[in-house]
């Protein structure tokens, strides 16, 4: 594996050795923490073992394969196939064997197959919806009845207890009926169905010195079996409903994400002061932001074909101003292959178009919204990336476009580059106040804005700067994705059955 911003490789683990075969099926699994917003580079080295020595230099190197953790997680059918690259020390060249050196990596998740774990993400997490009532509780208030509430505690391994839920207070009654509440099984009992759960009953006091009424203990298993009444206070379980919650990863395994890449700004790309300046030795601010975000999201797109658009420019040959043009110069087919294809189209467009204001966001948001509106089954989700210098000329129209788009399967990422003030972008983000237009509020929060300058590494490490940017700018995408699926009641496609490799008789440990 490779640490963020570091070119050094660190050995993570080794498989078992399969003796005397050219077609090994390795059984050993490796646990890795997975974060959607981070790019985790992986390298697999293959050796022919000649002895029991743990020193790899004592064995024959067969080749290696590179990929990212996102590629494995986002692969169709939870199966990634890649060829092995072999380093030729005589010619100092890589070549790839396509005929017989094929690597197949299978991905299993923790909850699906507890004995076949590779990546720790916890895809399925059960929650329970419970409701309680009580009858004839003790009267604790001098001038009235009690104001009871319940406090739930999860037991820990050391015998202590941790509060995991409090109900609301029901005022002035000895026979309360509390509202139903939902809590994850992980929070309630850490997934241990027999772990002790302690429930305390209190009478609420305004000064915080709540009066203890009583307590009882139970467990998840006892509750799930319909245990209805607890101790002399007759606290009664009215309902217990198990709900299975699914994660972003579960949807990724059954579908894919499409990214649409949009760039906007003004300036002469031939001048070093321009944000679009084409430095032959390093990426400009736009290029770094584009590659930082795009390299992560492309792992979750099935065909790696991305429509890349630009806006705010005069187009050849007549110099007309456009707020929605294909970076590759082909309006009928604006798709580029991979992030490298998008980067190539971006730099080519800088040589052929004249960047020109005003900068209007609404046309490109509406462009992506038209694609998103045609997908109603949840099979595709659109991520619109806008890279801008902060100048926006159509705020009212943009806000209306975002409110309309909040009903669709799409998210909008805005990366601000340069020294400009980004007050307008902060308003579009809507983290503090939900964005609205003409009295209508956005159905979901779908916009995430970050200024790139906040992530620039002071030592000049651009790789680290890009990693920091991607981590923050992509952090909200999974929850935005899930919020759309929940509102629409769309469930993920079934996961493929776990892969079971054949049993090998001959194995050697090193």
């Amino acid at each position: 594996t490779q640490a963020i911003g570091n070119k050094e490789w660190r050995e993570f683990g080794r498989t078992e050795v399969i003796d005397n075969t050219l077609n090994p099926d390795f059984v050993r699994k490796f646990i890795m923490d997975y974060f959607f917003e981070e790019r985790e580079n992986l390298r697999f080295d293959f050796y022919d073992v000649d002895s029991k020595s743990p020193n790899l230099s004592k064995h024959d190197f067969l080749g290696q394969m590179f990929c990212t953790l996102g590629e494995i997680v986002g692969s169709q059918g939870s199966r990634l196939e890649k060829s092995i690259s072999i380093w030729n020390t005589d010619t100092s060249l890589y070549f790839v064997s396509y005929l017989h050196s094929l690597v197949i990596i299978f991905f299993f998740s923790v909850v699906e197959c507890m004995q076949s774990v590779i990546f720790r993400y916890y895809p399925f997490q059960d929650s329970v919806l419970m409701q309680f009532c009580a009858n004839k509780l003790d009267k604790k208030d001098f001038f009235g009845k009690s104001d009871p509430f319940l406090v739930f505690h999860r037991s820990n391994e050391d015998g202590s207890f941790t509060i995991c839920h409090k109900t609301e207070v029901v005022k002035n009654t000895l026979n309360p009926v509390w509202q139903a509440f939902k809590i994850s099984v992980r929070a309630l009992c850490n997934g241990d169905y027999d772990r002790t759960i302690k429930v305390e009953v209190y009478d609420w006091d305004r000064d915080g010195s709540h009066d203890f009424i009583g307590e009882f203990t139970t467990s998840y298993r006892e509750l799930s079996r319909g245990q209805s009444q607890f101790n002399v206070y007759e606290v009664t379980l009215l309902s217990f409903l198990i709900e299975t919650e699914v994660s972003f990863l579960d949807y990724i395994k059954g579908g894919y994400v499409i990214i649409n890449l949009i760039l906007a700004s003004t300036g002469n790309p031939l001048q070093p002061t321009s944000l679009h300046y084409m430095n032959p030795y390093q990426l400009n601010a736009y290029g770094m932001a584009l590659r930082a975000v795009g390299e992560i999201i492309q792992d979750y797109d099935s065909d790696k074909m991305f429509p890349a658009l630009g806006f705010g420019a005069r187009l050849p040959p007549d110099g007309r101003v456009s707020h929605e043009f294909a970076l590759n110069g082909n309006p009928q087919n604006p798709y580029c292959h991979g992030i490298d294809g998008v980067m190539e189209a971006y730099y080519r467009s800088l040589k052929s178009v004249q960047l020109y204001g005003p900068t209007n966001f609404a046309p490109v948001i509406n462009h992506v919204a038209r694609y998103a509106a045609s997908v109603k089954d949840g099979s595709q989700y659109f991520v619109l990336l806008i890279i801008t210098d902060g100048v926006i000329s159509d705020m009212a129209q943009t806000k209306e476009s975002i409110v309309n788009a909040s009903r669709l399967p799409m998210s909008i990422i805005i990366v601000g580059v340069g020294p400009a003030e980004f007050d307008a972008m902060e308003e579009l983000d809507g983290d503090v106040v939900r964005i609205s237009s003409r009295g209508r509020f956005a159905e979901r929060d779908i916009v995430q804005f970050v200024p790139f300058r906040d992530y620039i590494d002071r030592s000049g490490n651009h790789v680290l700067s890009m990693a920091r940017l991607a981590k923050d700018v992509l952090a909200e995408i999974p929850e935005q994705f899930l919020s759309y699926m929940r509102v629409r009641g769309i469930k993920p496609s079934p996961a493929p059955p776990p892969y079971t490799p054949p049993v090998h008789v001959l194995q050697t440990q090193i």
Side-chain angles (χ1 to χ4, degrees):
T1 62
Q2 207 173 34
I4 295 176
N6 194 330
K7 295 183 179 180
E8 298 296 324
W9 289 94
R10 177 182 64 87
E11 181 177 326
F12 185 84
R14 301 184 185 185
T15 69
E16 74 281 11
V17 175
I18 308 297
D19 289 339
N20 195 30
T21 180
L22 298 178
N23 302 289
D25 279 299
F26 300 107
V27 176
R28 183 170 299 163
K29 283 81 177 179
F30 302 96
I31 297 176
M32 300 190 72
D33 291 320
Y34 164 72
F35 302 96
F36 168 75
E37 65 272 16
E38 295 182 8
R39 179 181 174 87
E40 180 76 47
N41 294 319
L42 304 177
R43 189 184 84 197
F44 295 84
D45 292 347
F46 300 87
Y47 289 86
D48 174 29
V49 173
D50 294 322
S51 68
K52 293 185 179 295
S53 173
N55 188 344
L56 293 178
S57 65
K58 303 296 184 182
H59 308 288
D60 297 326
F61 177 68
L62 301 178
Q64 58 191 189
M65 185 273 283
F66 296 87
C67 68
T68 67
L69 187 52
E71 281 185 274
I72 300 174
V73 173
S75 60
Q76 291 293 303
S78 300
R79 171 185 170 124
L80 176 68
E81 299 185 14
K82 299 195 80 171
S83 298
I84 298 176
S85 300
I86 303 173
W87 178 254
N88 189 322
T89 55
D90 296 329
T91 61
S92 297
L93 293 174
Y94 269 113
F95 67 91
V96 179
S97 172
Y98 290 99
L99 296 179
H100 60 274
S101 299
L102 187 67
V103 182
I104 304 176
I105 301 174
F106 293 89
F107 156 62
F108 302 95
S109 53
V110 166
V111 178
E112 286 176 357
C113 185
M114 291 302 293
Q115 301 304 317
S116 301
V117 178
I118 292 187
F119 305 118
R120 184 189 292 123
Y121 189 82
Y122 308 117
F124 285 93
Q125 179 173 292
D126 286 347
S127 293
V128 291
L129 184 67
M130 295 186 287
Q131 185 176 22
F132 290 85
C133 70
N135 186 38
K136 299 181 180 179
L137 293 178
D138 283 354
K139 179 178 178 297
K140 294 293 184 179
D141 293 340
F142 185 76
F143 292 106
K145 300 177 181 178
S146 293
D147 304 318
F149 66 96
L150 301 177
V151 180
F152 290 76
H153 302 259
R154 177 187 68 245
S155 63
N156 303 313
E157 280 72 10
D158 61 0
S160 62
F161 286 87
T162 299
I163 295 177
C164 57
H165 181 75
K166 290 182 181 180
T167 68
E168 79 284 4
V169 176
V170 181
K171 292 293 190 67
N172 197 33
T173 181
L174 301 180
N175 304 293
V177 178
W178 291 281
Q179 295 179 10
F181 65 92
K182 184 165 70 171
I183 184 173
S184 70
V185 174
R186 190 171 302 281
L188 184 64
C189 63
N190 202 31
D192 180 357
Y193 291 178
D194 296 308
R195 184 180 295 250
T196 299
I197 300 169
K198 181 172 68 174
V199 184
E200 297 174 331
V201 188
Y202 285 94
D203 169 42
W204 177 84
D205 288 327
R206 187 180 302 275
D207 61 4
S209 59
H210 311 307
D211 299 319
F212 179 75
I213 296 178
E215 67 177 40
F216 62 89
T217 59
T218 182
S219 66
Y220 176 91
R221 191 179 304 279
E222 189 177 50
L223 292 169
S224 65
R225 288 173 177 169
Q227 173 69 43
S228 59
Q229 289 190 342
F230 305 93
N231 72 22
V232 295
Y233 298 107
E234 295 189 10
V235 175
T236 302
L237 174 65
L238 295 177
S239 62
F240 185 91
L241 179 64
I242 301 174
E243 296 182 357
T244 298
E245 294 187 355
V246 292
S247 74
F248 174 74
L249 183 57
D250 300 309
Y251 289 94
I252 291 299
K253 290 167 64 180
Y256 52 93
V257 176
I258 289 182
I259 177 173
N260 294 261
L261 302 166
I262 316 299
L263 302 106
S265 187
T266 57
N268 187 341
L270 300 179
Q271 296 178 352
T273 55
S274 170
L275 294 171
H276 287 288
Y277 176 60
M278 293 184 288
N279 188 321
Y281 303 106
Q282 68 180 45
L283 295 172
N284 60 27
Y286 276 76
M288 283 193 286
L290 174 58
R291 186 170 288 282
V293 177
E295 281 189 339
I296 291 178
I297 294 188
Q298 74 171 349
D299 289 339
Y300 304 90
D301 188 285
S302 57
D303 61 7
K304 305 294 186 289
M305 296 298 294
F306 306 128
L309 308 176
F311 58 99
R314 290 186 181 273
L315 305 185
D318 56 0
R320 65 182 178 86
V321 177
S322 174
H323 300 292
E324 184 183 339
F325 64 91
L327 290 184
N328 63 5
N330 186 350
Q332 281 73 42
N333 184 17
Y335 288 83
C336 306
H337 186 264
I339 297 306
D340 289 337
V342 174
M343 297 290 293
E344 181 182 351
Y346 163 59
Y347 285 119
R348 191 187 307 124
S349 71
L350 290 179
K351 299 177 182 178
S352 61
V353 305
Q354 177 188 356
L355 300 176
Y356 189 84
T359 300
N360 296 336
F361 282 12
V364 290
I365 294 176
N366 294 336
H367 177 98
V368 179
R370 287 193 293 271
Y371 283 100
S374 65
V375 179
K376 302 183 184 302
D377 61 356
S379 61
Q380 299 180 32
Y381 192 86
F382 297 78
V383 180
L384 167 61
L385 171 62
I386 299 177
I387 308 174
T388 180
D389 63 5
V391 179
I392 180 170
S393 308
D394 62 341
M395 177 59 80
Q397 295 90 334
T398 296
K399 291 170 68 174
E400 183 171 6
S401 296
I402 292 174
V403 170
N404 293 335
S406 67
R407 301 178 291 104
L408 303 173
M410 65 180 286
S411 292
I412 301 172
I413 295 173
I414 303 175
V415 178
V417 296
E421 294 298 326
F422 293 111
D423 294 344
M425 300 300 108
E426 297 285 2
E427 183 179 353
L428 295 180
D429 192 303
D431 280 345
V432 178
V433 179
R434 182 67 61 89
I435 190 171
S436 63
S437 175
R438 300 183 184 183
R440 293 188 303 123
F441 284 87
E443 182 177 298
R444 301 180 297 123
D445 176 16
I446 65 169
V447 179
Q448 169 73 342
F449 164 76
V450 297
F452 194 10
R453 61 174 177 250
D454 291 353
Y455 303 89
I456 299 297
D457 180 65
R458 294 182 179 179
S459 67
N461 187 332
H462 295 306
V463 174
L464 187 58
S465 300
M466 294 162 62
R468 290 172 175 171
L469 170 71
K471 184 174 181 177
D472 263 21
V473 82
L474 294 173
E476 294 185 10
I477 294 297
E479 183 53 40
Q480 291 175 359
F481 177 95
L482 287 171
S483 68
Y484 174 81
M485 297 301 180
R486 291 191 195 108
V487 169
R488 297 294 179 270
I490 300 173
K491 301 296 183 182
S493 301
Y499 170 73
T500 304
V503 177
H504 295 279
V505 176
L506 298 176
Q507 294 190 7
T508 302
Q509 182 70 42
I510 64 169

